[in-house]
Amino acid sequence: MKYLDEYRDPRLARRLLAELTATATRPWRIMEVCGGQTHTLVRQGIDDLLPAGIRMIHGPGCPVCVTPLEVLDRAHAIAARPGTVLTSFGDMLRVPGSHTDLLALRARGADVRPVYSPMDAVRIAAAEPDRQVVFLAVGFETTAPANALAVQLAGRLGLENFSVLVSHVLVPPAMTALLQDPDCEVQGFLAAGHVCAVMGWRAYEPIAARYRVPITVTGFEPLDLLEGILMTVRQLEEGRAEVENQYTRAVRRDGNTAAQRAVAEVFRVADRPWRGLGPIPASGLVLAPAYARFDAAERFQATETATREDPECIAGQILTGARVPTDCPAYGTRCTPRSPLGAPMVSGEGTCAAYHAAGKERTSR
């Protein structure tokens, strides 16, 4: 298969592993920020093939996993209202809140619809003017441009029955927060290629310089990851702390400036809580004043309820890389993709789901 097999060639993978073994002279701890990269590492067995001493730490880059419980509960309250259509991506429908999830609400009669794009939600609003259509907008820099365009389109169409429940988060502030933790073990980062395709990598340069940590923009195929790890280890061995780009076929230093302009027009940066990580300054996006009329949280004024995390779930420790899924007593028994306790077992980018799909077993029982 053209442009896919090239990045999964076993001969090249063995060559990169041999070069990595020859380069690393001491243990190093590297975090892959993105859940998509975690899935490739685990599914392809790369984490088990790395030279002894090179440890990958799984990061918080799963948009579903870091959406705060308060946002989920608010979405559930809105979905339960008569005359309302709650839309979002499929993964979000199964994420448990404090008391239920969106699929369970749909089974009880709520109008909850999975969509492939926020534009689908705009089309529903245009076609059904007698119903309030809400899009649950989560994710990182990768999904924010499409959501911004959807809000702009709703504005041009004059739709008064469309709104968004926004829970966007930004990657660089989260990386900074992790590095400021005195217990942080991360010595280098693999930055998510799709995030950088939008934002570029300028925002990472001050982080690399201030914390003396190498950051390598990396793709998602096996050879991408092996080369990204090798580039990071080379920097560590040479005492360098720079931003380098392995994902040259998709990423430029300045990113996608048209997408950045759309996001800058519709959103503004704000403090944001992260599930598992807590509040992080300037780490999220909210609607700009000119688009505040599309804010579902304001439109519906959903009653705040006390949130309740499942006491068995250690998602917060998974998201910060402090523990791995197989450390969790509930992993694979009381927590499975069919009956998840927390978001990392639900999402297609969740670390727990990646471990479960790869058949990894608990370390102790």
Side-chain angles (χ1 to χ4, degrees), residues 293-310:
R293 64 187 185 281
F294 294 106
D295 188 344
E298 291 296 323
R299 181 174 298 186
F300 293 95
Q301 293 291 317
T303 305
E304 297 287 349
T305 59
T307 58
R308 183 182 65 83
E309 292 278 7
D310 191 296

Side-chain angles (χ1 to χ4, degrees), residues 329-355:
Y331 169 81
T333 54
R334 294 178 298 285
C335 183
T336 67
R338 186 179 293 273
S339 58
L341 294 180
M345 188 60 92
V346 176
S347 170
E349 296 187 49
T351 303
C352 298
Y355 271 54

Side-chain angles (χ1 to χ4, degrees), residues 250-309:
V251 174
R252 296 174 300 173
R253 182 169 182 258
D254 291 330
N256 184 332
T257 54
Q260 293 166 18
R261 283 195 298 273
V263 171
E265 179 184 322
V266 173
F267 298 110
R268 64 177 175 81
V269 175
D271 298 346
R272 174 69 74 179
W274 293 52
R275 192 173 188 179
L277 278 73
I280 300 177
S283 70
L285 298 175
V286 297
L287 286 166
Y291 293 93
R293 64 187 185 281
F294 294 106
D295 188 344
E298 291 296 323
R299 181 174 298 186
F300 293 95
Q301 293 291 317
T303 305
E304 297 287 349
T305 59
T307 58
R308 183 182 65 83
E309 292 278 7

